[in-house]
Amino acid sequence: MSTRGKDSGKDSGKTASQRLYNVGVIGKSGNGKSSFINAYLGLPHKEEYAARTGVVECTSEDHPYHLPGSDVVLWDVPGYDTQKVPYGPDYLKKINFESYDFYVHVSCTKIEETELLLHSAIAKQGKRYFYVRTKIDRDLKNQKKAHPRTFNEDNEKEAIRKKIEDCFPDVPVFLVSCREPEGHDLPTLRSLVADGANFSLESHRDIVKRRLQNTGRATRPFLEKFCVLQ
């Protein structure tokens, strides 16, 4: 059971306007949540304070990482879909799901049913999240190997992004590589997550619109009510 209460991310000396925002980094076990946090913070995997990583389930309890100079605390949350922790109501209770202010959902595969369920669970709270597709370097390498003559990195990244946005049109999507922390979308994601003001409905809507406009695609009507998938 998580030991973090709803107010544990706040400093007792801060005023209400200076509160800290708790951001849960969530996703299926093995999708690279801990590696993402290390890349985000610029920590080598062997650093004493780095999040544990590996090919098997490493995160068994949530662990906080306060972003220096910001009002945000990232929480490395145990992954789901393991023998010990299947996805479901018990998992959400175990990680104290409702106590987070915002979420970063980390995935490295095609969209699965559990991701749709997680989307709905967040939406039912009236909260929002950023969708992070990790290991993009691996995907690009595989596509380049399979189609050496026609491969175009920008086109491939756009195709991956569009597949995700078609499922979650009201969620900002970021493509990252933990091996290339200064490349792809991670620098942009850092600047957004570091400011709790970006977690509001209004800011979230503006981020989605800007990202769509930057791709050259027509801006779709933003869903004022966060989509609860049935």
Side-chain angles (χ1 to χ4, degrees):
M1 171 68 70
S2 169
T3 58
R4 178 178 48 78
K6 291 185 178 180
D7 298 323
S8 64
K10 302 179 184 179
D11 291 338
S12 58
K14 290 181 176 292
T15 66
S17 63
Q18 295 174 308
R19 58 157 294 185
L20 296 182
Y21 293 87
N22 292 303
V23 177
V25 180
I26 57 178
K28 186 176 179 179
S29 181
N31 274 2
K33 299 186 306 302
S34 298
S35 294
F36 164 75
I37 288 178
N38 291 337
Y40 184 101
L41 297 174
L43 293 174
H45 294 321
K46 295 183 179 180
E47 173 74 29
E48 179 182 359
Y49 299 105
R52 290 184 59 202
T53 62
V55 295
V56 296
E57 180 182 4
C58 288
T59 305
S60 57
E61 295 289 340
D62 53 7
H63 190 83
Y65 295 86
H66 186 186
L67 306 186
S70 82
D71 55 357
V72 174
V73 179
L74 287 183
W75 289 83
D76 190 8
V77 177
Y80 59 81
D81 268 8
T82 68
Q83 288 186 336
K84 294 181 180 179
V85 189
Y87 181 84
D90 288 343
Y91 167 74
L92 298 180
K93 183 178 180 180
K94 171 183 171 64
I95 66 170
N96 206 3
F97 182 70
E98 295 184 357
S99 66
Y100 295 104
D101 300 297
F102 196 80
Y103 305 87
V104 172
H105 180 199
V106 176
S107 178
C108 68
T109 61
K110 64 181 180 179
I111 294 173
E112 300 178 348
E113 181 180 2
T114 49
E115 296 188 26
L116 303 179
L117 295 173
L118 191 58
H119 176 98
S120 289
I122 295 173
K124 287 176 181 178
Q125 297 185 79
K127 298 178 182 177
R128 297 180 177 271
Y129 68 97
F130 293 151
Y131 189 107
V132 175
R133 174 67 178 271
T134 61
K135 304 181 183 180
I136 190 64
D137 56 314
R138 178 197 63 183
D139 294 329
L140 295 175
K141 181 179 180 180
N142 289 342
Q143 285 299 314
K144 185 175 183 179
K145 183 177 180 180
H147 309 284
R149 295 185 178 181
T150 59
F151 174 79
N152 179 283
E153 179 173 319
D154 290 339
N155 290 344
E156 186 61 31
K157 288 167 67 174
E158 179 62 15
I160 294 172
R161 191 191 309 277
K162 186 176 184 302
K163 287 181 180 179
I164 301 170
E165 290 176 342
D166 284 346
C167 286
F168 307 124
D170 46 358
V171 179
V173 176
F174 301 88
L175 310 180
V176 308
S177 166
C178 297
R179 295 180 178 179
E180 304 168 4
E182 300 309 317
H184 308 292
D185 294 336
L186 188 51
T188 301
L189 181 62
R190 278 198 192 103
S191 65
L192 294 174
V193 173
D195 185 356
N198 289 320
F199 304 153
S200 68
L201 168 62
E202 189 70 25
S203 294
H204 197 276
R205 178 174 59 230
D206 290 342
I207 291 167
V208 173
K209 286 184 176 180
R210 287 199 304 269
R211 294 196 67 80
L212 287 174
Q213 290 168 350
N214 289 341
T215 64
R217 298 204 301 271
T219 303
R220 291 166 291 186
F222 188 83
L223 303 181
E224 292 293 339
K225 182 177 181 181
F226 196 35
C227 181
V228 179
L229 301 175
Q230 302 299 324

